[in-house]
Structure formats: C-alpha cells, structure tokens
C-alpha cells in the first residue's frame, strides 16, 4: 500500500498534474475568498466553501483519471496484478495518493483563516468543521472517480464521465425542486452529497453527515476492487 | 517446479486455451512455441495469475495460484509481452518500486545493483525509461522479472523487437538463468527456441500439439528418421540399392543435378542407424556419396506441419475462430 502511495505521489509531482491542479485550486479559492470575504466584509468562509464544489468537481476527475485506465492501457497493470500485493492494497494506495494531493490543495483554507485573523477573530471551530467537510466530500468524490477510472481504458472518458457526474450532482438540488413527486424529491435530497456538505459549511458537525461520506468512500473503493477482480475472471 | 493441469480459458464461446496440461521440472528451460494467437500469452497470463482460468489448476512448488495467490506470486518472475514499465520513472526508481511491490526481503540496493549488472543496464540506471530504446526497455523488463530471485521465470516473447546482437545476449542470459531457475519462455521464432530450450511444447489453437525434448521433437512428430543424400550415379541403380537395406521405408529422388548427380531422401525406421549400410551399398555399386545429412526435416517444416495440420482438423470439425 505504501509502495503504491509513494509511486502515485511521485507520478503526480514528477509531472505537471500536481502543480496544475494545485494552481487551479489556489487561484479559484483565492478569487472566491477575496470576492466573498473582502467584498462582503465577513469572516465566514461558508460562501467560499460552497462555491469550491464547482472547482472540486472538475479537478478531482483530473487527478484520478489516470489511476487505473492508464495502467490498463500501458499494460503496467500486469506488473501490479502479478505481484504479491493484493488488489485492496493497490486500490487503497491509489486512492490515498489522489487524496493526499487533494488534501494538500485544501490546506490553502488554513492560510485564508490566518489571513482573516489579521483583521478579525476567525471562528476556528466553524473553519475546522468546514475543512473536515471539504476533505470528506473530496474523499467520496475521489473514490467514485477512481471507480470510474477502473471501468475504462481511456483516461479522457474517465475524466469526462467524472465531470458529468459532478455536474449532475450540482443540478440534483434543482432537479428535486422541479419535480413535484414527493417520494422522488425525498430520495434525491437524501442522496445529494451537497446537502450533507452544506451542513459542514454552516459549522454543523453531525455524525450522520460524516457517516454518509465515509460510507460513500468505502462503498466505491469496494466496487473498484470488485470491478478489477471481475475483469480477471471474465 | 511448475505443474499445469487441464488449464482452460474461454472468452464467451471462444476457447482461447483448451485443456492444457504439462509439468516443468526445476532447472528446466521450456520453450513455448506457437503461431501468433495460439494462446501462448493467455496461458502465461493464467500461470502468473494475471487472469483467472475458466477451469484447471496451476501449481508452483506445491502452492496453487488461485488458492494462495500471495505466496505463489512471490515465486514467479514475469516478463509480459509488453514490458510493464512506468515510463516516467528512472530505471533505478522503477526497479526500487518493483522491489517494494514484490515485497522482496533481500538487501535493496545491493540486489538491484546485482540485477542491473546481470542484464547490463547499470550505465542506464539514472535515465528515464521513456528515453530508452526498445532493447534497453526489454532489459529493464527483464530486470524487473529477476527481482527477488524467483525460482520460476515466465518470459513472454522476450526477444521480439531486439537486434540480432541483443537477441544472442538475451538467449545467453536465459540459458545461464536456466541453471538456477525454472524458465518458461514463449516465442514464435523456432530457431530461437531450439537454440535455448531443453524441451519444447508446441501449441496451436489453444491445444498442445507436441511436447518433446528439443533434439527429439522432429522424430517425435514424424515417427521416422530421414537422411538426405547427394549421390553421383544412375538414379535407378541408386534407389534400388538403397531400398534393399532392411530398415529403409522409402527412398526417393528429390532433385536431379548436373554431372549425373541427384539428391535423394531416405526415410527409415526410428532407432536404427542406416548410414553405414547406405555407405557400403553405394560403395558396392560404385556410386560415390557426395553429401550425407541426417534429420532432413527442419524444425520449421515440422512446425508448419503441426500447426497447419491442426488448423485443417479444426476446420473439418466445424470450428469457427
């Protein structure tokens, strides 16, 4: 697992991927931070975090698109699958690689909190709670996108499918508003990750929200292992 | 020791590998021969546990690949048809990664240095794999398979795309490795297999069509031995004289040449040596032998015979692949 994680990180940081992703993240979060916190004279980062979903939605598929599709295409999966390292270790190693890069991006928020502290007292519990929220949301999205990458040999398809899914999630709220059928609306609200994420940005740390994201992450990592396993048997 | 029993792989209705069984003893170099698409790579992928078998078992030194994958995989070094290289890494970084991935317990730096020396890529150790030539990439793939000194080496067409000098080097390497390891290596180039292997398995359309020691393969397939001769003298006399020798089954003129000379092909029973008899018979009728060569049927002829005959059978049986 540690071996795969190390290899993933070195592949991100030895290519432009890590830098482009981090730069994108920093630029947009900086714009939101400046526009919202300075524009409205507030110490609350809730608005910044809320908008960040639209950025995460694009950069996570970029981070994860290569994880399994490229291995399959370059036939390097033959080295992985014929080694004594188990599939679970491989999947978790790859997930953690993407997750560490994403977490590194998110650390910029702590810098913003420090910036705020020069002008006013930041609400640290809320900031840390929101930080936990974005990390958990990221973990779930990474797991889903790693799963998508395991389904295809083309990293372009993996990226586009991941982004399409992100867009769908962002429209989920609007869709459930438009529909007047109660039970569908209820289901859509229950499965919409943004609803759970929003709670974090308000500073509400609830066990339900945490469990939701952790379950989503675990479930999709499990699916990824199954998909890779299934491919060997068909 | 590698034991393969009734190995079968189906892709939908197509049987890529059909009930293959063989055993390779420790220290044996086995050549796996077949035309492209015969099922060589599929078989090797099953032996190494990259894909599962539809039915049948692969046992390596007593542990089975599907029951105990972790332990079994440690015993195998695999070089697939396309070397599984991460082209963005340097040779040393890549080998270090593979070393960790294979969970090798040997001293890391020394072992990697030793393997790089063995396949002669020490000078390339700091270069990025992307920039290496095909021959060097193949060697890096080879080095990767050798990490951890696995008792079994599976090499899928290790010499494809190399220049003649590199091919000879790789062959030498395989031969020297064969002393300590069990080696299974595939190729569709016959001369290569016959130069390197102790034993040859010929596979065609997913089935084993021949399994014999290299030197015996030709006779094992035809069931009789052959002698090719070049003799000066009247053909009728020569043929009748040869036919009088008891062990001879057939004697034919193959080609007339100038100066009253012709080429003949004599087929005789297995296990008998008729060369001396032929010599005395020709001496008696006063026809000098200009050239005598045994085992006229080359491995190439035999290979074609085996693989095409099988295809004909296959068509007759209504196969559709």
């Amino acid at each position: 697992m540690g071996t795969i994680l190390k290899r993933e990180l070195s592949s991100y940081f030895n290519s432009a991927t890590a830098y482009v992703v981090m730069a994108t993240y920093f630029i947009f979060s900086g714009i939101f931070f400046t526009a919202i916190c300075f524009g409205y004279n507030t110490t609350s980062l809730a608005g910044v975090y809320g908008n960040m979903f639209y950025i995460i939605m694009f950069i996570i598929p970029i981070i994860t698109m290569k994880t399994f599709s490229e291995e399959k295409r370059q036939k390097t999966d033959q080295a992985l699958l014929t080694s004594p390292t188990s599939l679970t270790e491989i999947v978790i190693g790859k997930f953690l690689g993407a997750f560490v890069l994403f977490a590194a991006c998110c650390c910029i928020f702590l810098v913003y909190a420090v910036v705020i502290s020069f002008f006013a007292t930041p609400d640290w519990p809320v900031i840390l709670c929101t930080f936990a929220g974005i990390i958990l949301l990221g973990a779930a999205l990474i797991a889903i996108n790693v799963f998508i990458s395991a389904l295809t040999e083309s990293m372009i398809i993996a990226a586009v499918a991941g982004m399409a899914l992100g867009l769908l999630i962002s429209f989920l709220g609007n869709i459930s508003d438009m529909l007047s059928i109660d039970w569908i609306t209820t289901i859509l609200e229950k499965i919409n990750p943004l609803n759970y994420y929003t709670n974090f940005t308000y500073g509400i740390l609830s066990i339900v929200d945490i469990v939701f994201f952790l379950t989503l992450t675990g479930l999709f990592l499990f699916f990824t292992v199954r998909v890779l396993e299934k491919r060997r048997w068909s | 020791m590698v034991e393969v029993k009734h190995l079968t792989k189906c892709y939908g209705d197509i049987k890529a590998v059909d009930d293959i069984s063989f055993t390779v003893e420790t220290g044996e170099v086995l050549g796996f021969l077949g035309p492209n698409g015969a099922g060589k790579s599929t078989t090797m992928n099953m032996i190494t546990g990259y894909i599962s078998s539809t039915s049948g078992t692969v046992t390596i030194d007593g542990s089975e690949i599907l029951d105990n994958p972790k332990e079994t995989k440690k015993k195998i070094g695999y070089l697939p048809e396309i070397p599984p290289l991460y082209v963005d890494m340097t040779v040393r970084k890549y080998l270090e990664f593979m070393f960790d991935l294979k969970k090798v317990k040997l001293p890391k730096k020394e072992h990697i240095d030793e393997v790089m020396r063995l396949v002669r890529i020490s000078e390339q150790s700091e270069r990025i794999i992307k920039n290496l030539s095909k021959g060097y990439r193949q060697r890096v793939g080879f080095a990767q398979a050798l990490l951890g000194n696995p008792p079994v080496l599976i090499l899928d067409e290790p010499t494809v795309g190399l220049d003649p000098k590199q091919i000879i080097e790789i062959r030498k390497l395989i031969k020297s490795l064969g002393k300590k390891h069990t080696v299974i290596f595939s190729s569709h180039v016959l001369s290569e297999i016959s130069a390197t292997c102790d034993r040859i398995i010929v596979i065609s359309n997913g089935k084993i069509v021949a399994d014999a020691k290299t030197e015996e393969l030709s006779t094992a397939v035809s069931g009789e031995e052959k002698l090719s001769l070049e003799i000066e003298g009247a053909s009728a006399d020569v043929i009748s004289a040869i036919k009088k020798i008891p062990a001879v089954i057939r004697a034919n003129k193959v080609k007339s040449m100038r100066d009253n000379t012709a080429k003949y092909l004599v087929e005789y029973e297995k296990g008998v040596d008729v060369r001396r008899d032929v010599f005395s018979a020709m001496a008696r009728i006063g026809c000098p032998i200009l050239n005598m060569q045994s085992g006229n049927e080359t491995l190439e002829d035999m290979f074609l015979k085996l693989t095409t005959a099988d295809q004909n059978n296959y068509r007759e049986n209504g196969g559709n692949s």
Side-chain angles (χ1 to χ4, degrees):
Chain A
M1 195 164 85
T3 315
I4 305 275
L5 171 61
K6 226 167 81 187
R7 142 89 201 141
E8 287 298 300
L9 286 178
S10 85
S11 118
Y12 287 135
F13 284 92
N14 283 336
S15 68
T17 318
Y19 306 104
V20 171
V21 162
M22 287 174 98
T24 312
Y25 197 98
F26 293 167
I27 288 170
F28 282 98
S29 62
I31 292 171
F32 294 147
F33 175 65
T34 318
I36 295 171
C37 291
F38 288 99
Y40 294 96
N41 241 343
T42 167
T43 62
S44 161
L45 285 170
V48 183
Y49 275 108
N51 280 324
M52 275 320 281
F53 176 76
Y54 299 98
I55 307 306
I56 294 171
M57 189 178 93
F58 283 108
I59 66 165
I60 284 182
I62 299 290
I63 297 177
T64 60
M65 65 182 181
K66 262 167 78 170
T67 43
F68 284 103
S69 57
E70 195 67 358
E71 299 266 0
K72 176 93 181 135
R73 206 173 64 82
Q74 303 275 10
K75 304 271 183 204
T76 44
D77 62 334
Q78 284 191 312
L80 296 181
L81 296 179
T82 58
S83 76
T85 307
S86 73
L87 266 180
T88 316
E89 284 178 89
I90 294 169
V91 170
I92 293 180
K94 285 193 170 277
F95 165 78
L96 284 180
F99 180 71
V100 167
L101 174 57
F102 176 75
C105 294
C106 293
C107 286
I108 193 72
F109 278 104
L110 301 177
V111 176
Y112 297 148
V114 172
V115 171
I116 292 175
S117 73
F118 285 117
F119 302 97
T121 321
D123 197 350
W124 282 106
V126 177
I127 285 172
L128 290 178
C129 176
T130 326
F131 188 71
I134 202 159
I135 290 283
L136 283 170
L137 172 73
L141 283 178
I142 289 169
I144 294 171
N145 280 288
V146 166
F147 170 71
I148 293 174
S149 177
L151 292 176
T152 167
E153 260 186 56
S154 151
M155 58 180 186
I156 303 294
I157 293 179
V160 171
M163 288 174 190
L165 186 79
L167 276 175
L168 185 70
I169 291 175
S170 67
F171 290 144
L172 224 49
N174 295 355
I175 295 171
S176 64
D177 286 347
M178 283 187 313
L179 292 171
S180 51
I181 310 159
D182 277 349
W183 60 274
I184 294 183
T185 315
T186 321
I187 291 175
L188 288 181
E189 273 169 9
K190 290 282 180 219
I191 62 161
N192 189 351
L194 286 182
N195 289 346
Y196 297 88
Y197 173 59
T198 319
N199 290 345
F200 284 100
T201 61
Y202 296 147
I204 307 164
L205 193 64
S206 122
I207 197 84
V208 177
D209 304 334
I210 296 173
V211 168
F212 174 81
F213 284 122
L214 290 182
T215 314
L216 209 57
T217 310
L219 202 61
F220 275 92
L221 290 182
F222 173 73
F223 287 160
T224 312
V225 175
R226 298 318 298 168
V227 161
L228 294 172
E229 188 70 35
K230 195 228 151 218
R231 195 187 280 157
R232 297 170 65 199
W233 287 88
S234 56
Chain B
M1 197 178 88
V2 182
E3 249 187 304
V4 172
K5 278 187 200 153
H6 305 294
L7 206 60
T8 302
K9 180 77 186 177
C10 302
Y11 290 111
D13 291 338
I14 300 163
K15 269 191 178 172
V17 172
D18 191 0
D19 197 23
I20 280 184
S21 302
F22 61 88
T23 310
V24 196
E25 300 297 335
T26 311
E28 194 176 17
V29 180
L30 174 78
F32 218 57
L33 184 65
N36 290 324
K40 298 188 297 278
S41 296
T42 313
T43 309
M44 292 190 145
N45 280 337
M46 279 191 281
I47 296 176
T48 54
Y50 175 58
I51 54 171
S52 68
S53 53
T54 309
S55 66
T57 55
V58 176
T59 319
I60 288 162
D61 285 341
S63 60
E64 211 183 292
I65 191 88
L66 291 179
D67 287 351
N68 191 0
K70 265 193 182 176
E71 285 311 305
T72 317
K73 283 174 180 173
K74 276 186 189 171
K75 294 176 182 158
I76 307 175
Y78 182 33
L79 171 62
E81 204 172 349
I82 300 161
L85 305 175
Y86 290 101
V87 292
D88 56 339
M89 293 170 118
T90 65
V91 173
R92 181 178 292 280
K93 281 260 155 27
Y94 170 71
L95 290 177
E96 280 172 359
F97 167 69
M98 290 306 296
F99 183 95
D100 293 339
L101 193 71
K102 292 183 169 203
K103 302 185 175 172
V104 182
K105 297 281 186 294
L106 300 161
K108 194 167 178 176
K109 194 175 176 308
E110 287 80 4
H111 183 59
I112 290 176
D113 282 341
E114 188 198 322
V115 167
M116 287 201 295
R117 247 197 322 278
L118 195 64
V119 299
R120 299 214 229 148
I121 43 164
S122 305
E123 296 85 56
Q124 263 62 39
S125 66
E126 298 310 323
R127 287 180 67 186
I128 292 173
I129 297 176
K130 210 185 325 195
N131 304 330
L132 290 179
S133 69
K134 170 110 183 155
Y136 277 124
R137 285 185 188 205
Q138 194 74 22
R139 288 188 213 194
V140 178
F142 222 116
Q144 163 273 126
L146 291 174
L147 284 175
N149 290 325
V152 176
L153 283 176
I154 314 261
L155 313 168
D156 197 352
E157 308 205 347
T159 57
V160 164
L162 303 185
D163 66 42
K165 190 166 159 272
Q166 291 169 327
I167 290 179
I168 291 169
E169 273 179 27
I170 294 271
R171 271 190 215 163
K172 270 190 197 154
L173 186 61
I174 293 173
K175 268 203 156 168
S176 68
L177 289 170
K179 286 169 194 149
K180 279 189 285 180
H181 306 253
T182 306
V183 182
I184 301 180
F185 109 85
S186 81
S187 175
H188 55 261
V189 184
L190 243 163
S191 53
E192 179 169 294
I193 294 247
S194 56
T196 330
C197 303
D198 306 325
R199 200 174 120 208
I200 299 181
I201 284 183
V202 184
I203 176 171
S204 174
N205 278 317
K207 288 188 188 118
I208 292 182
V209 289
D211 179 355
K213 291 255 184 259
T214 310
E215 59 272 19
E216 292 165 7
L217 187 60
S218 175
T219 35
V221 170
S222 57
E224 51 205 31
E225 305 217 34
K226 285 174 186 169
L227 199 61
S228 141
L229 295 153
E230 201 178 317
I231 301 170
E232 193 180 320
S235 313
D237 297 346
V238 169
I239 288 178
S240 70
I242 292 176
K243 277 187 173 164
K244 279 183 193 139
I245 301 165
V248 169
I249 300 165
R250 270 182 295 273
N252 293 311
K253 188 163 97 171
V254 182
K255 192 176 162 196
S256 294
M257 291 162 83
R258 63 205 158 92
D259 302 335
N260 198 22
T261 315
K263 275 190 172 174
Y264 301 90
L265 183 66
V266 177
E267 293 170 51
Y268 57 98
E269 284 165 22
K270 214 169 160 181
V272 190
D273 193 348
V274 297
R275 284 177 299 179
R276 283 173 199 82
D277 300 330
V278 170
F279 173 77
S280 345
M282 290 304 107
R284 235 175 285 131
I285 61 166
C287 295
I289 298 172
L290 303 177
N291 191 356
M292 184 192 288
Q293 203 178 356
S294 56
N296 157 277
E297 190 170 39
T298 61
L299 278 169
E300 255 85 10
D301 294 337
M302 180 230 64
F303 175 59
L304 280 176
K305 205 187 226 174
L306 279 172
T307 49
T308 46
D310 188 71
Q311 251 159 24
N312 292 339
N313 287 344
Y314 195 66
R315 267 186 224 116
E316 278 158 27
N317 296 339
N320 50 349
S321 79

